[in-house]
Amino acid sequence: TDGSPQPPVTVGTGSPDGGAGAAGGGGEAFGDRSLNQGLSVLVGLALCVTMLGLGCAVELSQLGQQLRRPVGLLLALLGQFVAMPLLAFLLALIFALDEVAAVAVLLCGCCPGGNLSNLMSVLVDGDMNLSIIMTASSTLLALFLMPLCLWIYSRHWINTAVVQLLPLGAVSLTLGSTLLPIGLGVLIRYRHPRAADLLVKISLWSLLVTLVILFILTGTMLGPDLLAHIPASVYAIAVLMPLVGYALGYGLATVFKMPPHCRRTVSLETGCQNVQLCTAILKLTFPPELIGSMYMFPLLYALFQSAEAGLFVLLYKMYGRDSHKQDALGEEEDTDISYKKLKEEEVADTSYGTVTTEEHNSIQMEPTQTAL
């Protein structure tokens, strides 16, 4: 070391399972400056590509319709900045997390929706327009509400070094930097729709690839021994938080008396967080010696939210899709019946003769007169 004093980190006192030492002791693993800078560049690029893809998915006409009837905006507000931050705060209290782990969990809970929900909404026959509008709305609302939620819910750990150094200004700056790729994506959608469709697909694939790369790189830099010492409570929260988020979103849509396909959409939008943004904030705004292995929490969350969403998609494909088809078939049958009645009436009005049956199975045509 260069002999410079380390920040007065008071970790390891708030967790009964001793997990804070693992959480805060991962700073030395980031000592390789080249790997550390490379990871920062990868995180920044992943965030830019994700936000560009989000912007390319937004159509101005649909945005105007949603603003005139802002149900999607309201659901995004309630789901992403009321339900999820409160859930993250309660889980951090229930599992008695130390301040380092609590900040990582709160950051993830206060993040806006992610692009994963758009892909999953397609797979469960959801409302794609509602999904995109909710993701875009929560991303824009995050500029103001995410720092506010972090400030409110971090009060419980206010006497710790991590929270006292919580860089709300840097968080706001990182959020503000996402506006440029989003605006560029909206412009590309307006001018070049085909190119926008291609960029949306690229952003979805890059989401999966970068998460895998980040998981491998972070795990390599931190070391398997340190990862094994991440508290079991952190893993439990990474499992429970998206699961409860999906349930809260479905319940929220039920309260608003939305149709089933919209309920599935809101459920996925609420539980799926923008983990690229969470990773970027942790990586670009916090010193490594403060956060350490908690860089892994958003990646763990991404892993479990994807697995649980994939399980929901599988269950829907196996069981729920039949009822969806029956509902659609019922609507078509009603239309066919009314169409048949209409045709029968037309035939009766324009008939040139009627067929009557007599005894001994004889058939006789009775001519009718038509007015010319």
Side-chain angles (χ1 to χ4, degrees), residues 36-52 174 177-178 181 206 210 214 274-284:
N36 196 12
Q37 289 180 346
L39 188 61
S40 298
V41 171
L42 179 61
V43 167
L45 288 176
L47 181 61
C48 288
V49 173
T50 300
M51 294 298 100
L52 179 64
T174 304
S177 65
T178 63
S206 68
T210 53
L214 285 173
N274 191 337
V275 291
Q276 298 98 315
L277 179 60
C278 183
T279 304
I281 291 174
L282 284 172
K283 186 70 186 69
L284 302 177

Side-chain angles (χ1 to χ4, degrees), residues 84 87-88 91-92 95 97 105 108 215 230-248 270-273 275 296-312:
M84 291 304 292
L87 172 63
L91 287 174
F95 286 92
L97 295 183
V105 171
C108 194
F215 200 94
I230 293 178
S233 57
V234 173
Y235 285 99
I237 291 177
V239 173
L240 289 174
M241 195 167 155
L243 188 65
V244 178
Y246 294 141
L248 288 175
T270 304
C272 289
Q273 301 296 90
V275 291
M296 287 297 295
F297 179 77
L299 301 180
L300 290 173
Y301 188 95
L303 176 65
F304 289 115
Q305 79 172 3
S306 302
E308 292 167 4
L311 180 60
F312 292 159

Side-chain angles (χ1 to χ4, degrees), residues 190-347:
Y190 180 72
R191 295 285 184 86
H192 308 285
R194 291 185 178 179
D197 293 334
L198 179 61
L199 287 174
V200 170
K201 294 179 181 179
I202 292 175
S203 68
L204 290 175
W205 279 107
S206 68
L207 166 66
L208 301 177
V209 173
T210 53
L211 286 178
V212 172
I213 294 175
L214 285 173
F215 200 94
I216 294 173
L217 284 180
T218 306
T220 301
M221 294 173 68
L222 292 174
D225 293 336
L226 185 60
L227 292 179
H229 287 84
I230 293 178
S233 57
V234 173
Y235 285 99
I237 291 177
V239 173
L240 289 174
M241 195 167 155
L243 188 65
V244 178
Y246 294 141
L248 288 175
Y250 197 91
L252 184 63
T254 303
V255 171
F256 277 79
K257 299 181 179 179
M258 304 188 76
H261 70 290
C262 290
R263 295 179 189 178
R264 295 192 295 270
T265 302
V266 177
S267 173
L268 290 169
E269 278 295 325
T270 304
C272 289
Q273 301 296 90
N274 191 337
V275 291
Q276 298 98 315
L277 179 60
C278 183
T279 304
I281 291 174
L282 284 172
K283 186 70 186 69
L284 302 177
T285 61
F286 282 96
E289 60 270 15
L290 286 181
I291 295 299
S293 62
M294 283 302 104
Y295 285 120
M296 287 297 295
F297 179 77
L299 301 180
L300 290 173
Y301 188 95
L303 176 65
F304 289 115
Q305 79 172 3
S306 302
E308 292 167 4
L311 180 60
F312 292 159
V313 171
L314 180 61
L315 292 175
Y316 173 75
K317 296 292 185 183
M318 293 175 60
Y319 303 105
R321 200 164 190 176
D322 293 336
S323 60
H324 175 74
K325 288 182 178 179
Q326 290 177 359
D327 293 339
L329 182 61
E331 294 177 359
E332 292 177 358
E333 289 177 350
D334 292 340
T335 304
D336 292 341
I337 291 173
S338 60
Y339 177 74
K340 289 177 181 178
K341 288 182 179 179
L342 179 61
K343 294 299 291 182
E344 289 175 357
E345 293 176 356
E346 291 178 355
V347 170

Side-chain angles (χ1 to χ4, degrees), residues 71-77 79-80 113 129-139 252 262 265-266 269-270:
V71 178
L73 180 65
L74 179 60
L75 290 172
L77 171 65
Q80 297 296 343
N129 291 335
L130 177 61
S131 177
I132 293 173
I133 289 300
M134 286 188 66
T135 304
S137 299
S138 63
T139 303
L252 184 63
C262 290
T265 302
V266 177
E269 278 295 325
T270 304

